[in-house]
Amino acid sequence: VAKPGMAAAFAHAATQSGAAVVTCVNHKWHSGERPPGDVRGLRAGWPTDESASDHWLPLGACEALGAHINCFGDAHVLIRRSAFDLVGGYTLDFGLGLEDWELYARLTLHYASDARAAWSHHESHANAGRAPIHHLVIPEPLYWYRLMKGGGMLARQHANSPSALAQRRADRLRSLRPYLEETGPCAPGEACAAH
């Protein structure tokens, strides 16, 4: 549930920074309850009471860490259309999750590749070697994230049945696809190198 001002904060951050991707911190609440306070009257920012102590602060674009955990953010995001189109947008794989993680990894790898190229080929340019500001995390909770005990990604992450384990593996492979595309195929036992 977006808090008042979330969209405006995302737009302002993108406009001022030039970021292609803007996300933020979230507050979590359990599905059996309403978010603390009146949803329509919630203000952005940290609560002044202990009603929402659980939150997630994504780190943003971290090329290496993003292969292991989703450090990028979740589906509450503002993405510039040009960046979205440049990397092909979301993939359409029915029944799989983690499409946001996959997209953020693809964007991160694309911009990291551009920054490496700028560093090696345009050293005389004033901004040579500086990675474009492409993924900005607003360090303020701007929405409530519902934790669903009996369903959603949370249930998939904690179930231990064979089908749940297979689903998690398939989801995880999806989030790794941009990295595998970047490195290309490699033989068993060989280290894969990025192109």
Side-chain angles (χ1 to χ4, degrees):
V1 175
K3 294 183 179 184
M6 183 187 85
F10 278 17
H12 179 76
T15 301
Q16 295 300 309
S17 69
V21 178
V22 178
T23 189
C24 67
V25 176
N26 70 34
H27 276 143
K28 297 178 181 170
W29 98 90
H30 296 278
S31 63
E33 307 162 8
R34 291 181 54 84
D38 176 10
V39 174
R40 293 178 309 277
L42 289 176
R43 63 176 180 76
W46 300 97
T48 55
D49 58 19
E50 297 299 318
S51 60
S53 59
D54 194 13
H55 60 274
W56 177 42
L57 172 61
L59 301 175
C62 182
E63 186 179 356
L65 185 60
H68 302 283
I69 64 169
N70 181 359
C71 59
F72 306 116
D74 82 343
H76 280 77
V77 65
L78 181 139
I79 302 175
R80 285 188 189 274
R81 179 65 183 253
S82 57
F84 185 83
D85 290 343
L86 185 66
V87 298
Y90 289 107
T91 56
L92 303 175
D93 296 312
F94 180 77
L96 294 181
L98 305 183
E99 64 280 355
D100 48 350
W101 186 356
E102 179 189 22
L103 177 63
Y104 304 147
R106 195 174 308 284
L107 284 161
T108 297
L109 292 169
H110 174 80
Y111 279 97
S113 175
D114 281 358
R116 284 190 293 273
W119 176 259
S120 62
H121 295 104
H122 304 290
E123 292 181 4
S124 62
H125 187 272
N127 290 324
R130 289 185 51 205
I133 299 172
H134 74 283
H135 193 133
L136 179 71
V137 177
I138 299 173
E140 184 175 349
L142 298 175
Y143 68 96
W144 291 100
Y145 185 87
R146 182 187 302 254
L147 300 174
M148 297 174 61
K149 188 173 186 176
M153 289 302 292
L154 183 65
R156 284 163 81 161
Q157 291 170 356
H158 297 289
N160 289 318
S161 70
S163 63
L165 294 173
Q167 181 67 53
R168 274 203 312 272
R169 178 182 162 98
D171 289 346
R172 183 67 180 100
L173 287 173
R174 180 184 200 172
S175 70
L176 286 172
R177 185 170 20 202
Y179 293 94
L180 298 172
E181 291 169 354
E182 180 82 7
T183 61
C186 57
E190 287 184 10
C192 294
H195 294 263

